[in-house]
Amino acid sequence: MKTTLATLTFCLVVLMATGFPLEKKGGSSSGSAAKEKRVQYAAWDDVNVIAHGLLQLGQGLKEHVDKTKVQMRDISTKLKVFNRTVTELGKESQKLRVEGEALKARAHGLEDREGQLLNVTAELREKAEEMQHERKTMSERMSRLEERVDNMLQGGAVLPDTNAGAKNNSDARHIQLMLEAQNKRIDDLMERIRLQQEKLDKQNVRIRTLQSQVQQSRQRPSLRNSNTDAQSAVAEQRDSPVEMASDCHELFLRGETTSGVYTIQPINAEPFKVFCEMTAEGGWTVIQRRQDGSVDFDQQWQAYEKGFGSLNGEFWLGLEKIHSIAKDGGYILNIKLCDWSRDSADMRLPFHLGGEETKYLLTTWKAEAFSPLESSLGTDATAACPFSTSDQDNDQKNDINCAKHLSGGWWFSNCGRSNLNGRYFQSPPPKQRHQRKQSIFWKTFRGRYYPLKSSSMRIGPAAIANKS
């Protein structure tokens, strides 16, 4: 465009120079007058050329102006978009700063609470040490008093009078009561220390989570994707802890309080999903649930070994997975039953489950005698019961396969005490007695021929039972 304008301008200058010649100096006046008359007007062709050149120059200038306007509009639009983007980025940056400050404040608050808990724990430990020292002192005094009483009973010392003997007996009783009170106080203090330690564990997990979120918010490469990154970081922290928990109670200690499906990884085992019931006392791992008959529990050995059903509905977790969680012992089996009148029962039994080589042998025990409700499983399992299915007859009946005679798979002894994996019958139950025997039943709850409405089995460490 610049070349075209320059060319047109040059042509105009040449035309004007040739069309309007300048007057020469000298010569006669008459000759000058004649020449002035001869060159006073330019030729018509020259005027047309000049006009045509001016027209082309005007059109070129107009095109240049139009093109410049379009370019200016494009630049203005881009500037508006850029300004809007800068404004949005500024808002997102401000929001990130606010969120970061809030996370920092929460982290500082949790650190302060952790410090307070540490102080309280230290005080409790000091009190416990003082109580233990007092307990030791009282034990020594009690031992000396017992020696004196023994000597008096054996005739090694003569009582000055009966009042002195009565006084010694009273002192002994008083010291014994003091010792019992001191022991109770020490036990209470130890329990409080344990609870404080659990609270500290939860606080530490939450602090680490907040610190991780703060660090991630600082290290994001792009401000534009900041909100998405923050949400994904929180979700990843919730679903994937720093170290995968070995059971539901460990998840509870890490701060999880909502019941639902989680992924755990017991020691020396592959990770798998479980349903966790989070209660005030801790986290329970559910291993069986019956509630509506939506899943057929009349399965064979391999299915009961691997597990089947839906974790959010009816399911059997699987003997392999149950064994991987509780193989090291120290676990409680919690069984809940409910009939069609909404009456319920609840029992807890310490148990041990053997591996595949033992046919998943179930053993239970208690320091005292089993209650009538517990006896339907506990009495048989004290002698250890292997698991049986229709294609793996491991029960104690020589002439009958209990799993085939009844239904499902269970720790059968003589086919008659319990079976929570039997057929599910809606109310009212079938009239035939042999069909009712195949149902979900617990003999010492509502009888062998009463099909239960629902049942659930869950396991947890003994620490849960100690809290309740």
Side-chain angles (χ1 to χ4, degrees):
M1 178 61 69
K2 291 181 179 179
T3 304
T4 304
L5 292 175
T7 303
L8 290 173
T9 304
F10 178 74
C11 292
L12 289 174
V13 171
V14 171
L15 288 172
M16 291 176 67
T18 56
F20 301 97
L22 297 175
E23 180 182 358
K24 292 183 179 180
K25 293 183 178 182
S28 62
S29 59
S30 60
S32 298
K35 188 175 182 179
E36 285 178 0
K37 291 180 181 179
R38 188 173 57 250
V39 297
Q40 185 175 3
Y41 301 102
W44 182 252
D45 293 338
D46 295 338
V47 172
N48 287 335
V49 171
I50 294 171
H52 182 69
L54 289 173
L55 180 61
Q56 289 184 344
L57 178 63
Q59 290 178 349
L61 289 173
K62 182 177 182 300
E63 291 177 357
H64 181 68
V65 170
D66 292 340
K67 187 175 181 180
T68 304
K69 287 181 179 179
V70 171
Q71 291 177 349
M72 291 296 292
R73 282 197 296 270
D74 292 341
I75 293 172
S76 177
T77 303
K78 291 179 181 179
L79 282 175
K80 290 180 181 178
V81 173
F82 178 77
N83 291 335
R84 186 163 55 249
T85 303
V86 170
T87 303
E88 292 175 355
L89 288 176
K91 291 180 180 178
E92 291 180 359
S93 177
Q94 180 65 25
K95 188 176 180 180
L96 273 178
R97 284 196 294 270
V98 173
E99 291 178 353
E101 294 298 329
L103 288 173
K104 286 181 183 178
R106 289 183 62 187
H108 288 315
L110 288 174
E111 289 175 354
D112 294 340
R113 291 181 62 185
E114 183 184 17
Q116 296 175 0
L117 288 172
L118 287 173
N119 293 334
V120 173
T121 303
E123 293 176 359
L124 290 174
R125 286 176 179 169
E126 291 178 358
K127 290 181 181 179
E129 291 176 356
E130 293 176 359
M131 297 297 294
Q132 289 176 353
H133 180 70
E134 292 179 5
R135 181 178 182 178
K136 183 178 180 181
T137 304
M138 297 300 292
S139 297
E140 292 176 354
R141 292 177 60 186
M142 189 68 183
S143 298
R144 290 195 297 268
L145 185 58
E146 287 177 351
E147 290 178 0
R148 291 176 58 187
V149 172
D150 291 339
N151 291 333
M152 286 186 290
L153 292 175
Q154 294 173 4
V158 179
L159 294 175
D161 53 26
T162 56
N163 290 333
K167 185 176 183 300
N168 286 333
N169 291 333
S170 176
D171 290 342
R173 179 61 179 166
H174 178 67
I175 292 173
Q176 185 176 3
L177 292 175
M178 288 180 62
L179 280 174
E180 292 176 355
Q182 292 287 354
N183 290 336
K184 188 176 184 305
R185 290 178 61 190
I186 290 174
D187 292 339
D188 292 340
L189 284 173
M190 295 303 293
E191 179 65 17
R192 290 176 62 186
I193 290 173
R194 186 182 61 78
L195 294 175
Q196 292 290 342
Q197 188 62 45
E198 288 184 359
K199 292 181 180 178
L200 281 175
D201 293 338
K202 293 181 182 179
Q203 292 292 343
N204 287 332
V205 172
R206 292 173 182 170
I207 289 173
R208 286 197 299 270
T209 302
L210 287 173
Q211 289 174 344
S212 175
Q213 293 175 6
V214 172
Q215 185 176 4
Q216 289 175 0
S217 66
R218 289 175 179 174
Q219 295 178 351
R220 287 191 185 94
S222 172
L223 288 174
R224 185 173 298 176
N225 299 326
S226 59
N227 293 335
T228 304
D229 291 340
Q231 294 174 358
S232 62
V234 174
E236 182 178 356
Q237 179 68 25
R238 183 179 300 168
D239 296 337
S240 302
V242 177
E243 294 179 359
M244 197 167 291
S246 59
D247 64 2
C248 293
H249 188 60
E250 187 172 342
L251 285 170
F252 172 81
L253 295 178
R254 293 183 180 188
E256 296 291 348
T257 56
T258 304
S259 298
V261 178
Y262 294 86
T263 300
I264 64 171
Q265 184 176 16
I267 299 174
N268 298 326
E270 294 296 324
F272 54 87
K273 292 186 180 295
V274 296
F275 189 93
C276 296
E277 282 190 10
M278 303 300 185
T279 64
E281 56 193 6
W284 292 90
T285 305
V286 182
I287 64 172
Q288 185 253 29
R289 186 188 295 126
R290 307 294 304 276
Q291 59 188 15
D292 54 19
S294 57
V295 175
D296 182 11
F297 272 65
D298 193 12
Q299 304 283 341
Q300 295 187 342
W301 179 266
Q302 187 175 5
Y304 271 99
E305 191 173 34
K306 301 298 182 183
F308 54 87
S310 170
L311 291 175
N312 288 311
E314 290 195 336
F315 71 93
W316 173 261
L317 183 61
L319 293 167
E320 276 187 359
K321 296 173 183 175
I322 301 171
H323 171 67
S324 68
I325 297 173
K327 60 179 178 291
D328 295 330
Y331 271 76
I332 302 294
L333 174 63
N334 179 214
I335 300 175
K336 292 185 176 183
L337 310 172
C338 183
D339 63 15
W340 292 92
S341 300
R342 296 185 178 180
D343 292 332
S344 60
D346 188 297
M347 69 203 82
R348 298 183 180 185
L349 294 170
F351 80 101
H352 179 267
L353 186 67
E356 181 183 8
E357 67 281 359
T358 68
K359 304 298 182 183
Y360 301 101
L361 202 68
L362 177 68
T363 308
T364 61
W365 64 88
K366 283 188 71 175
E368 65 275 8
F370 290 104
S371 68
L373 186 65
E374 297 167 342
S375 64
S376 286
L377 179 64
T379 303
D380 294 331
T382 52
C385 280
F387 199 84
S388 293
T389 59
S390 59
D391 61 334
Q392 284 269 3
D393 186 6
N394 301 316
D395 57 60
Q396 299 175 7
K397 280 280 191 178
N398 295 327
D399 55 343
I400 295 177
N401 183 337
C402 294
K404 190 177 294 185
H405 178 65
L406 298 177
S407 182
W410 190 249
W411 293 279
F412 294 110
S413 58
N414 59 1
C415 305
R417 292 181 180 272
S418 62
N419 180 17
L420 297 184
N421 291 333
R423 294 177 61 188
Y424 191 93
F425 290 109
Q426 302 286 348
S427 182
K431 296 180 180 180
Q432 289 77 11
R433 185 176 178 181
H434 72 277
Q435 288 184 335
R436 295 200 303 273
K437 286 170 61 176
Q438 297 179 347
S439 66
I440 308 170
F441 71 90
W442 194 269
K443 185 176 181 181
T444 53
F445 177 46
R446 290 298 305 272
R448 183 181 181 187
Y449 303 107
Y450 183 95
L452 295 176
K453 180 181 181 181
S454 64
S455 71
S456 69
M457 302 170 64
R458 57 186 190 172
I459 60 175
I464 298 180
N466 294 334
K467 290 183 183 179
S468 57

